[in-house]
Amino acid sequence: MNHRRWSVVVAAAALSFAVSALPASASPKTEIKGAAILDHACGKVAVKQMGLLHDGKFDEANKMSTQAMQDEWKKMPAADQKMMQGMMKEMASTGEQFATDIKASGDLIVEGEGATLTVVQEHKDANGSSKSTMTQKYVIDAKGCWITH
């Protein structure tokens, strides 16, 4: 084996060893359940945005999203925005109800600069009962928690 090839092999082995010596994840995954979610920045954003959507305050609710999501919304045709606003308002619960749902069945997974909130909501009426699952993704930065999907 010539000297150049040997240097590459040694360098690759050293890099492999260095990488394997690092922790598996630079940012540990944290799971927060129930009422404790409401103390986290993403839980607060979730409840506030849900309440704003329920009240038809779409511009205020949109400000809680990442800039990229706000830009996507602005590019959407007015007719599509109106349709989406109607659907969001119809599907949104009050902030108080959403906080209750989070306490009962919320699960927030925080990993590095991202988080995912999952809430299972149970609905009961004269026709029986059903469950729905709401999942919301967030980006976390120095300024706070921002809805991304």
Side-chain angles (χ1 to χ4, degrees), residues 15-55:
L15 179 61
S16 175
F17 176 78
V19 169
S20 67
L22 293 174
S25 173
S27 299
K29 185 189 299 189
T30 303
E31 183 173 18
I32 305 168
K33 291 188 168 280
I37 294 169
L38 302 175
D39 294 329
H40 190 277
C42 294
K44 292 175 184 179
V45 165
V47 170
K48 185 172 182 180
Q49 190 209 36
M50 183 65 77
L52 290 169
L53 292 173
H54 179 267
D55 294 342

PDB file of all heavy atoms in Angstrom, residues 15-55:
ATOM      1  N   LEU A  15     -11.496   9.440  11.789  1.00  0.00           N
ATOM      2  CA  LEU A  15     -12.785  10.125  11.728  1.00  0.00           C
ATOM      3  C   LEU A  15     -13.898   9.204  12.205  1.00  0.00           C
ATOM      4  O   LEU A  15     -14.762   9.607  12.973  1.00  0.00           O
ATOM      5  CB  LEU A  15     -13.060  10.602  10.301  1.00  0.00           C
ATOM      6  CG  LEU A  15     -14.383  11.325  10.088  1.00  0.00           C
ATOM      7  CD1 LEU A  15     -14.444  12.582  10.946  1.00  0.00           C
ATOM      8  CD2 LEU A  15     -14.559  11.670   8.629  1.00  0.00           C
ATOM      9  N   SER A  16     -13.861   7.951  11.792  1.00  0.00           N
ATOM     10  CA  SER A  16     -14.869   6.985  12.219  1.00  0.00           C
ATOM     11  C   SER A  16     -14.853   6.816  13.730  1.00  0.00           C
ATOM     12  O   SER A  16     -15.898   6.785  14.377  1.00  0.00           O
ATOM     13  CB  SER A  16     -14.615   5.642  11.538  1.00  0.00           C
ATOM     14  OG  SER A  16     -15.510   4.681  12.026  1.00  0.00           O
ATOM     15  N   PHE A  17     -13.662   6.743  14.330  1.00  0.00           N
ATOM     16  CA  PHE A  17     -13.545   6.608  15.771  1.00  0.00           C
ATOM     17  C   PHE A  17     -14.082   7.848  16.473  1.00  0.00           C
ATOM     18  O   PHE A  17     -14.814   7.758  17.451  1.00  0.00           O
ATOM     19  CB  PHE A  17     -12.085   6.372  16.179  1.00  0.00           C
ATOM     20  CG  PHE A  17     -11.904   6.324  17.663  1.00  0.00           C
ATOM     21  CD1 PHE A  17     -12.234   5.184  18.384  1.00  0.00           C
ATOM     22  CD2 PHE A  17     -11.439   7.430  18.354  1.00  0.00           C
ATOM     23  CE1 PHE A  17     -12.090   5.142  19.752  1.00  0.00           C
ATOM     24  CE2 PHE A  17     -11.289   7.401  19.724  1.00  0.00           C
ATOM     25  CZ  PHE A  17     -11.620   6.261  20.428  1.00  0.00           C
ATOM     26  N   ALA A  18     -13.749   9.029  15.952  1.00  0.00           N
ATOM     27  CA  ALA A  18     -14.200  10.284  16.569  1.00  0.00           C
ATOM     28  C   ALA A  18     -15.720  10.387  16.535  1.00  0.00           C
ATOM     29  O   ALA A  18     -16.349  10.778  17.510  1.00  0.00           O
ATOM     30  CB  ALA A  18     -13.569  11.478  15.860  1.00  0.00           C
ATOM     31  N   VAL A  19     -16.320  10.031  15.414  1.00  0.00           N
ATOM     32  CA  VAL A  19     -17.773  10.091  15.294  1.00  0.00           C
ATOM     33  C   VAL A  19     -18.432   9.078  16.218  1.00  0.00           C
ATOM     34  O   VAL A  19     -19.426   9.381  16.879  1.00  0.00           O
ATOM     35  CB  VAL A  19     -18.211   9.874  13.820  1.00  0.00           C
ATOM     36  CG1 VAL A  19     -19.708   9.675  13.717  1.00  0.00           C
ATOM     37  CG2 VAL A  19     -17.762  11.051  12.971  1.00  0.00           C
ATOM     38  N   SER A  20     -17.877   7.884  16.314  1.00  0.00           N
ATOM     39  CA  SER A  20     -18.485   6.870  17.170  1.00  0.00           C
ATOM     40  C   SER A  20     -18.348   7.226  18.645  1.00  0.00           C
ATOM     41  O   SER A  20     -19.115   6.759  19.472  1.00  0.00           O
ATOM     42  CB  SER A  20     -17.878   5.492  16.897  1.00  0.00           C
ATOM     43  OG  SER A  20     -16.531   5.470  17.303  1.00  0.00           O
ATOM     44  N   ALA A  21     -17.384   8.069  18.985  1.00  0.00           N
ATOM     45  CA  ALA A  21     -17.202   8.467  20.377  1.00  0.00           C
ATOM     46  C   ALA A  21     -18.184   9.559  20.794  1.00  0.00           C
ATOM     47  O   ALA A  21     -18.369   9.814  21.975  1.00  0.00           O
ATOM     48  CB  ALA A  21     -15.775   8.961  20.586  1.00  0.00           C
ATOM     49  N   LEU A  22     -18.829  10.215  19.815  1.00  0.00           N
ATOM     50  CA  LEU A  22     -19.810  11.250  20.125  1.00  0.00           C
ATOM     51  C   LEU A  22     -21.086  10.621  20.667  1.00  0.00           C
ATOM     52  O   LEU A  22     -21.406   9.471  20.355  1.00  0.00           O
ATOM     53  CB  LEU A  22     -20.161  12.054  18.862  1.00  0.00           C
ATOM     54  CG  LEU A  22     -19.046  12.923  18.284  1.00  0.00           C
ATOM     55  CD1 LEU A  22     -19.500  13.522  16.961  1.00  0.00           C
ATOM     56  CD2 LEU A  22     -18.659  14.021  19.254  1.00  0.00           C
ATOM     57  N   PRO A  23     -21.871  11.382  21.449  1.00  0.00           N
ATOM     58  CA  PRO A  23     -23.151  10.855  21.902  1.00  0.00           C
ATOM     59  C   PRO A  23     -24.048  10.570  20.702  1.00  0.00           C
ATOM     60  O   PRO A  23     -23.924  11.226  19.670  1.00  0.00           O
ATOM     61  CB  PRO A  23     -23.739  11.978  22.754  1.00  0.00           C
ATOM     62  CG  PRO A  23     -22.723  13.052  22.842  1.00  0.00           C
ATOM     63  CD  PRO A  23     -21.586  12.703  21.930  1.00  0.00           C
ATOM     64  N   ALA A  24     -24.971   9.643  20.847  1.00  0.00           N
ATOM     65  CA  ALA A  24     -25.853   9.258  19.747  1.00  0.00           C
ATOM     66  C   ALA A  24     -26.657  10.445  19.239  1.00  0.00           C
ATOM     67  O   ALA A  24     -26.917  10.568  18.056  1.00  0.00           O
ATOM     68  CB  ALA A  24     -26.792   8.143  20.185  1.00  0.00           C
ATOM     69  N   SER A  25     -27.059  11.328  20.113  1.00  0.00           N
ATOM     70  CA  SER A  25     -27.822  12.497  19.704  1.00  0.00           C
ATOM     71  C   SER A  25     -27.288  13.700  20.463  1.00  0.00           C
ATOM     72  O   SER A  25     -27.187  13.681  21.675  1.00  0.00           O
ATOM     73  CB  SER A  25     -29.302  12.283  20.024  1.00  0.00           C
ATOM     74  OG  SER A  25     -30.023  13.468  19.769  1.00  0.00           O
ATOM     75  N   ALA A  26     -26.952  14.748  19.726  1.00  0.00           N
ATOM     76  CA  ALA A  26     -26.437  15.945  20.373  1.00  0.00           C
ATOM     77  C   ALA A  26     -27.535  16.621  21.198  1.00  0.00           C
ATOM     78  O   ALA A  26     -27.243  17.304  22.155  1.00  0.00           O
ATOM     79  CB  ALA A  26     -25.887  16.900  19.323  1.00  0.00           C
ATOM     80  N   SER A  27     -28.770  16.436  20.812  1.00  0.00           N
ATOM     81  CA  SER A  27     -29.900  17.012  21.539  1.00  0.00           C
ATOM     82  C   SER A  27     -30.802  15.881  22.016  1.00  0.00           C
ATOM     83  O   SER A  27     -31.441  15.218  21.210  1.00  0.00           O
ATOM     84  CB  SER A  27     -30.703  17.934  20.629  1.00  0.00           C
ATOM     85  OG  SER A  27     -29.912  18.987  20.175  1.00  0.00           O
ATOM     86  N   PRO A  28     -30.861  15.665  23.319  1.00  0.00           N
ATOM     87  CA  PRO A  28     -31.689  14.565  23.806  1.00  0.00           C
ATOM     88  C   PRO A  28     -33.175  14.822  23.547  1.00  0.00           C
ATOM     89  O   PRO A  28     -33.619  15.968  23.485  1.00  0.00           O
ATOM     90  CB  PRO A  28     -31.395  14.537  25.304  1.00  0.00           C
ATOM     91  CG  PRO A  28     -30.925  15.911  25.624  1.00  0.00           C
ATOM     92  CD  PRO A  28     -30.243  16.412  24.388  1.00  0.00           C
ATOM     93  N   LYS A  29     -33.897  13.748  23.393  1.00  0.00           N
ATOM     94  CA  LYS A  29     -35.336  13.830  23.188  1.00  0.00           C
ATOM     95  C   LYS A  29     -35.998  13.907  24.556  1.00  0.00           C
ATOM     96  O   LYS A  29     -35.679  13.143  25.458  1.00  0.00           O
ATOM     97  CB  LYS A  29     -35.833  12.592  22.444  1.00  0.00           C
ATOM     98  CG  LYS A  29     -37.304  12.661  22.075  1.00  0.00           C
ATOM     99  CD  LYS A  29     -37.868  11.369  21.528  1.00  0.00           C
ATOM    100  CE  LYS A  29     -37.207  10.904  20.279  1.00  0.00           C
ATOM    101  NZ  LYS A  29     -37.913   9.758  19.659  1.00  0.00           N
ATOM    102  N   THR A  30     -36.917  14.848  24.697  1.00  0.00           N
ATOM    103  CA  THR A  30     -37.652  15.019  25.944  1.00  0.00           C
ATOM    104  C   THR A  30     -39.133  14.841  25.663  1.00  0.00           C
ATOM    105  O   THR A  30     -39.652  15.411  24.710  1.00  0.00           O
ATOM    106  CB  THR A  30     -37.415  16.434  26.532  1.00  0.00           C
ATOM    107  OG1 THR A  30     -36.022  16.624  26.714  1.00  0.00           O
ATOM    108  CG2 THR A  30     -38.138  16.614  27.844  1.00  0.00           C
ATOM    109  N   GLU A  31     -39.798  14.056  26.479  1.00  0.00           N
ATOM    110  CA  GLU A  31     -41.239  13.855  26.334  1.00  0.00           C
ATOM    111  C   GLU A  31     -41.934  14.518  27.518  1.00  0.00           C
ATOM    112  O   GLU A  31     -41.587  14.285  28.671  1.00  0.00           O
ATOM    113  CB  GLU A  31     -41.576  12.374  26.285  1.00  0.00           C
ATOM    114  CG  GLU A  31     -43.045  12.113  26.058  1.00  0.00           C
ATOM    115  CD  GLU A  31     -43.359  10.640  25.831  1.00  0.00           C
ATOM    116  OE1 GLU A  31     -42.526   9.783  26.170  1.00  0.00           O
ATOM    117  OE2 GLU A  31     -44.447  10.349  25.308  1.00  0.00           O
ATOM    118  N   ILE A  32     -42.913  15.351  27.194  1.00  0.00           N
ATOM    119  CA  ILE A  32     -43.696  16.047  28.213  1.00  0.00           C
ATOM    120  C   ILE A  32     -45.150  15.633  28.007  1.00  0.00           C
ATOM    121  O   ILE A  32     -45.651  15.664  26.894  1.00  0.00           O
ATOM    122  CB  ILE A  32     -43.547  17.576  28.085  1.00  0.00           C
ATOM    123  CG1 ILE A  32     -42.064  17.969  28.127  1.00  0.00           C
ATOM    124  CG2 ILE A  32     -44.346  18.298  29.161  1.00  0.00           C
ATOM    125  CD1 ILE A  32     -41.793  19.405  27.727  1.00  0.00           C
ATOM    126  N   LYS A  33     -45.805  15.260  29.083  1.00  0.00           N
ATOM    127  CA  LYS A  33     -47.185  14.781  28.971  1.00  0.00           C
ATOM    128  C   LYS A  33     -48.135  15.636  29.807  1.00  0.00           C
ATOM    129  O   LYS A  33     -47.751  16.193  30.834  1.00  0.00           O
ATOM    130  CB  LYS A  33     -47.286  13.333  29.429  1.00  0.00           C
ATOM    131  CG  LYS A  33     -46.612  12.357  28.496  1.00  0.00           C
ATOM    132  CD  LYS A  33     -46.926  10.930  28.910  1.00  0.00           C
ATOM    133  CE  LYS A  33     -46.504   9.960  27.844  1.00  0.00           C
ATOM    134  NZ  LYS A  33     -47.433   9.851  26.746  1.00  0.00           N
ATOM    135  N   GLY A  34     -49.372  15.700  29.350  1.00  0.00           N
ATOM    136  CA  GLY A  34     -50.445  16.309  30.123  1.00  0.00           C
ATOM    137  C   GLY A  34     -50.267  17.774  30.453  1.00  0.00           C
ATOM    138  O   GLY A  34     -49.774  18.567  29.653  1.00  0.00           O
ATOM    139  N   ALA A  35     -50.662  18.133  31.666  1.00  0.00           N
ATOM    140  CA  ALA A  35     -50.696  19.526  32.109  1.00  0.00           C
ATOM    141  C   ALA A  35     -49.342  20.215  32.017  1.00  0.00           C
ATOM    142  O   ALA A  35     -49.278  21.427  31.790  1.00  0.00           O
ATOM    143  CB  ALA A  35     -51.233  19.600  33.536  1.00  0.00           C
ATOM    144  N   ALA A  36     -48.254  19.492  32.166  1.00  0.00           N
ATOM    145  CA  ALA A  36     -46.917  20.091  32.102  1.00  0.00           C
ATOM    146  C   ALA A  36     -46.646  20.736  30.737  1.00  0.00           C
ATOM    147  O   ALA A  36     -45.843  21.662  30.630  1.00  0.00           O
ATOM    148  CB  ALA A  36     -45.847  19.046  32.419  1.00  0.00           C
ATOM    149  N   ILE A  37     -47.325  20.276  29.698  1.00  0.00           N
ATOM    150  CA  ILE A  37     -47.163  20.852  28.357  1.00  0.00           C
ATOM    151  C   ILE A  37     -47.554  22.327  28.364  1.00  0.00           C
ATOM    152  O   ILE A  37     -46.950  23.147  27.671  1.00  0.00           O
ATOM    153  CB  ILE A  37     -48.017  20.080  27.329  1.00  0.00           C
ATOM    154  CG1 ILE A  37     -47.492  18.651  27.183  1.00  0.00           C
ATOM    155  CG2 ILE A  37     -48.045  20.793  25.978  1.00  0.00           C
ATOM    156  CD1 ILE A  37     -48.406  17.724  26.414  1.00  0.00           C
ATOM    157  N   LEU A  38     -48.541  22.674  29.163  1.00  0.00           N
ATOM    158  CA  LEU A  38     -49.037  24.050  29.197  1.00  0.00           C
ATOM    159  C   LEU A  38     -48.015  25.025  29.764  1.00  0.00           C
ATOM    160  O   LEU A  38     -48.151  26.243  29.578  1.00  0.00           O
ATOM    161  CB  LEU A  38     -50.346  24.120  29.976  1.00  0.00           C
ATOM    162  CG  LEU A  38     -51.470  23.234  29.420  1.00  0.00           C
ATOM    163  CD1 LEU A  38     -52.678  23.282  30.325  1.00  0.00           C
ATOM    164  CD2 LEU A  38     -51.818  23.629  27.992  1.00  0.00           C
ATOM    165  N   ASP A  39     -46.972  24.524  30.434  1.00  0.00           N
ATOM    166  CA  ASP A  39     -45.901  25.371  30.947  1.00  0.00           C
ATOM    167  C   ASP A  39     -44.792  25.579  29.924  1.00  0.00           C
ATOM    168  O   ASP A  39     -43.946  26.449  30.089  1.00  0.00           O
ATOM    169  CB  ASP A  39     -45.298  24.748  32.218  1.00  0.00           C
ATOM    170  CG  ASP A  39     -46.290  24.714  33.365  1.00  0.00           C
ATOM    171  OD1 ASP A  39     -47.159  25.606  33.434  1.00  0.00           O
ATOM    172  OD2 ASP A  39     -46.204  23.782  34.187  1.00  0.00           O
ATOM    173  N   HIS A  40     -44.775  24.775  28.871  1.00  0.00           N
ATOM    174  CA  HIS A  40     -43.755  24.857  27.833  1.00  0.00           C
ATOM    175  C   HIS A  40     -44.175  25.915  26.799  1.00  0.00           C
ATOM    176  O   HIS A  40     -45.363  26.096  26.533  1.00  0.00           O
ATOM    177  CB  HIS A  40     -43.597  23.485  27.152  1.00  0.00           C
ATOM    178  CG  HIS A  40     -42.418  23.410  26.256  1.00  0.00           C
ATOM    179  ND1 HIS A  40     -42.441  23.871  24.957  1.00  0.00           N
ATOM    180  CD2 HIS A  40     -41.168  22.924  26.470  1.00  0.00           C
ATOM    181  CE1 HIS A  40     -41.269  23.671  24.409  1.00  0.00           C
ATOM    182  NE2 HIS A  40     -40.474  23.092  25.308  1.00  0.00           N
ATOM    183  N   ALA A  41     -43.204  26.600  26.207  1.00  0.00           N
ATOM    184  CA  ALA A  41     -43.493  27.643  25.214  1.00  0.00           C
ATOM    185  C   ALA A  41     -44.366  27.120  24.072  1.00  0.00           C
ATOM    186  O   ALA A  41     -45.288  27.804  23.618  1.00  0.00           O
ATOM    187  CB  ALA A  41     -42.190  28.220  24.661  1.00  0.00           C
ATOM    188  N   CYS A  42     -44.117  25.896  23.618  1.00  0.00           N
ATOM    189  CA  CYS A  42     -44.910  25.344  22.511  1.00  0.00           C
ATOM    190  C   CYS A  42     -46.346  25.049  22.948  1.00  0.00           C
ATOM    191  O   CYS A  42     -47.278  25.232  22.166  1.00  0.00           O
ATOM    192  CB  CYS A  42     -44.249  24.093  21.945  1.00  0.00           C
ATOM    193  SG  CYS A  42     -42.656  24.428  21.151  1.00  0.00           S
ATOM    194  N   GLY A  43     -46.532  24.622  24.177  1.00  0.00           N
ATOM    195  CA  GLY A  43     -47.882  24.395  24.695  1.00  0.00           C
ATOM    196  C   GLY A  43     -48.659  25.695  24.774  1.00  0.00           C
ATOM    197  O   GLY A  43     -49.853  25.758  24.446  1.00  0.00           O
ATOM    198  N   LYS A  44     -47.989  26.756  25.201  1.00  0.00           N
ATOM    199  CA  LYS A  44     -48.637  28.069  25.291  1.00  0.00           C
ATOM    200  C   LYS A  44     -49.037  28.567  23.904  1.00  0.00           C
ATOM    201  O   LYS A  44     -50.133  29.098  23.715  1.00  0.00           O
ATOM    202  CB  LYS A  44     -47.708  29.067  25.984  1.00  0.00           C
ATOM    203  CG  LYS A  44     -47.498  28.747  27.451  1.00  0.00           C
ATOM    204  CD  LYS A  44     -46.479  29.661  28.083  1.00  0.00           C
ATOM    205  CE  LYS A  44     -46.236  29.238  29.528  1.00  0.00           C
ATOM    206  NZ  LYS A  44     -45.247  30.056  30.188  1.00  0.00           N
ATOM    207  N   VAL A  45     -48.149  28.394  22.926  1.00  0.00           N
ATOM    208  CA  VAL A  45     -48.443  28.797  21.554  1.00  0.00           C
ATOM    209  C   VAL A  45     -49.619  27.994  21.002  1.00  0.00           C
ATOM    210  O   VAL A  45     -50.510  28.536  20.351  1.00  0.00           O
ATOM    211  CB  VAL A  45     -47.192  28.642  20.655  1.00  0.00           C
ATOM    212  CG1 VAL A  45     -47.539  28.705  19.183  1.00  0.00           C
ATOM    213  CG2 VAL A  45     -46.164  29.700  21.006  1.00  0.00           C
ATOM    214  N   ALA A  46     -49.632  26.700  21.268  1.00  0.00           N
ATOM    215  CA  ALA A  46     -50.706  25.838  20.767  1.00  0.00           C
ATOM    216  C   ALA A  46     -52.069  26.306  21.260  1.00  0.00           C
ATOM    217  O   ALA A  46     -53.017  26.427  20.479  1.00  0.00           O
ATOM    218  CB  ALA A  46     -50.451  24.390  21.196  1.00  0.00           C
ATOM    219  N   VAL A  47     -52.170  26.563  22.551  1.00  0.00           N
ATOM    220  CA  VAL A  47     -53.445  26.970  23.141  1.00  0.00           C
ATOM    221  C   VAL A  47     -53.863  28.347  22.618  1.00  0.00           C
ATOM    222  O   VAL A  47     -55.016  28.556  22.238  1.00  0.00           O
ATOM    223  CB  VAL A  47     -53.369  26.963  24.685  1.00  0.00           C
ATOM    224  CG1 VAL A  47     -54.595  27.602  25.305  1.00  0.00           C
ATOM    225  CG2 VAL A  47     -53.196  25.528  25.191  1.00  0.00           C
ATOM    226  N   LYS A  48     -52.910  29.253  22.570  1.00  0.00           N
ATOM    227  CA  LYS A  48     -53.233  30.615  22.113  1.00  0.00           C
ATOM    228  C   LYS A  48     -53.679  30.604  20.653  1.00  0.00           C
ATOM    229  O   LYS A  48     -54.684  31.236  20.299  1.00  0.00           O
ATOM    230  CB  LYS A  48     -52.026  31.533  22.290  1.00  0.00           C
ATOM    231  CG  LYS A  48     -52.336  32.977  21.943  1.00  0.00           C
ATOM    232  CD  LYS A  48     -51.198  33.906  22.296  1.00  0.00           C
ATOM    233  CE  LYS A  48     -51.579  35.358  21.979  1.00  0.00           C
ATOM    234  NZ  LYS A  48     -50.492  36.270  22.307  1.00  0.00           N
ATOM    235  N   GLN A  49     -52.949  29.875  19.798  1.00  0.00           N
ATOM    236  CA  GLN A  49     -53.324  29.837  18.387  1.00  0.00           C
ATOM    237  C   GLN A  49     -54.699  29.194  18.198  1.00  0.00           C
ATOM    238  O   GLN A  49     -55.505  29.676  17.412  1.00  0.00           O
ATOM    239  CB  GLN A  49     -52.285  29.103  17.547  1.00  0.00           C
ATOM    240  CG  GLN A  49     -52.590  29.303  16.064  1.00  0.00           C
ATOM    241  CD  GLN A  49     -52.157  28.186  15.177  1.00  0.00           C
ATOM    242  OE1 GLN A  49     -52.227  27.017  15.556  1.00  0.00           O
ATOM    243  NE2 GLN A  49     -51.721  28.530  13.986  1.00  0.00           N
ATOM    244  N   MET A  50     -54.969  28.132  18.924  1.00  0.00           N
ATOM    245  CA  MET A  50     -56.266  27.460  18.799  1.00  0.00           C
ATOM    246  C   MET A  50     -57.385  28.430  19.164  1.00  0.00           C
ATOM    247  O   MET A  50     -58.399  28.514  18.467  1.00  0.00           O
ATOM    248  CB  MET A  50     -56.327  26.216  19.673  1.00  0.00           C
ATOM    249  CG  MET A  50     -57.614  25.421  19.535  1.00  0.00           C
ATOM    250  SD  MET A  50     -57.874  24.675  17.901  1.00  0.00           S
ATOM    251  CE  MET A  50     -56.751  23.284  18.012  1.00  0.00           C
ATOM    252  N   GLY A  51     -57.216  29.163  20.244  1.00  0.00           N
ATOM    253  CA  GLY A  51     -58.225  30.137  20.652  1.00  0.00           C
ATOM    254  C   GLY A  51     -58.421  31.224  19.608  1.00  0.00           C
ATOM    255  O   GLY A  51     -59.563  31.622  19.320  1.00  0.00           O
ATOM    256  N   LEU A  52     -57.335  31.707  19.016  1.00  0.00           N
ATOM    257  CA  LEU A  52     -57.429  32.734  17.980  1.00  0.00           C
ATOM    258  C   LEU A  52     -58.156  32.201  16.749  1.00  0.00           C
ATOM    259  O   LEU A  52     -58.992  32.896  16.158  1.00  0.00           O
ATOM    260  CB  LEU A  52     -56.039  33.245  17.604  1.00  0.00           C
ATOM    261  CG  LEU A  52     -55.332  34.078  18.671  1.00  0.00           C
ATOM    262  CD1 LEU A  52     -53.864  34.291  18.290  1.00  0.00           C
ATOM    263  CD2 LEU A  52     -56.045  35.414  18.884  1.00  0.00           C
ATOM    264  N   LEU A  53     -57.855  30.971  16.349  1.00  0.00           N
ATOM    265  CA  LEU A  53     -58.547  30.362  15.208  1.00  0.00           C
ATOM    266  C   LEU A  53     -60.039  30.226  15.501  1.00  0.00           C
ATOM    267  O   LEU A  53     -60.875  30.534  14.651  1.00  0.00           O
ATOM    268  CB  LEU A  53     -57.935  29.003  14.864  1.00  0.00           C
ATOM    269  CG  LEU A  53     -56.519  29.017  14.298  1.00  0.00           C
ATOM    270  CD1 LEU A  53     -55.979  27.596  14.173  1.00  0.00           C
ATOM    271  CD2 LEU A  53     -56.467  29.740  12.957  1.00  0.00           C
ATOM    272  N   HIS A  54     -60.374  29.768  16.691  1.00  0.00           N
ATOM    273  CA  HIS A  54     -61.771  29.611  17.089  1.00  0.00           C
ATOM    274  C   HIS A  54     -62.517  30.942  17.016  1.00  0.00           C
ATOM    275  O   HIS A  54     -63.682  31.003  16.618  1.00  0.00           O
ATOM    276  CB  HIS A  54     -61.860  29.034  18.501  1.00  0.00           C
ATOM    277  CG  HIS A  54     -63.251  28.857  18.982  1.00  0.00           C
ATOM    278  ND1 HIS A  54     -63.901  29.826  19.714  1.00  0.00           N
ATOM    279  CD2 HIS A  54     -64.125  27.838  18.823  1.00  0.00           C
ATOM    280  CE1 HIS A  54     -65.126  29.415  19.985  1.00  0.00           C
ATOM    281  NE2 HIS A  54     -65.281  28.201  19.458  1.00  0.00           N
ATOM    282  N   ASP A  55     -61.815  32.018  17.396  1.00  0.00           N
ATOM    283  CA  ASP A  55     -62.429  33.347  17.401  1.00  0.00           C
ATOM    284  C   ASP A  55     -62.381  34.030  16.036  1.00  0.00           C
ATOM    285  O   ASP A  55     -62.829  35.167  15.898  1.00  0.00           O
ATOM    286  CB  ASP A  55     -61.734  34.236  18.435  1.00  0.00           C
ATOM    287  CG  ASP A  55     -61.954  33.744  19.858  1.00  0.00           C
ATOM    288  OD1 ASP A  55     -62.885  32.940  20.093  1.00  0.00           O
ATOM    289  OD2 ASP A  55     -61.182  34.157  20.747  1.00  0.00           O
TER     290      ASP A  55
END
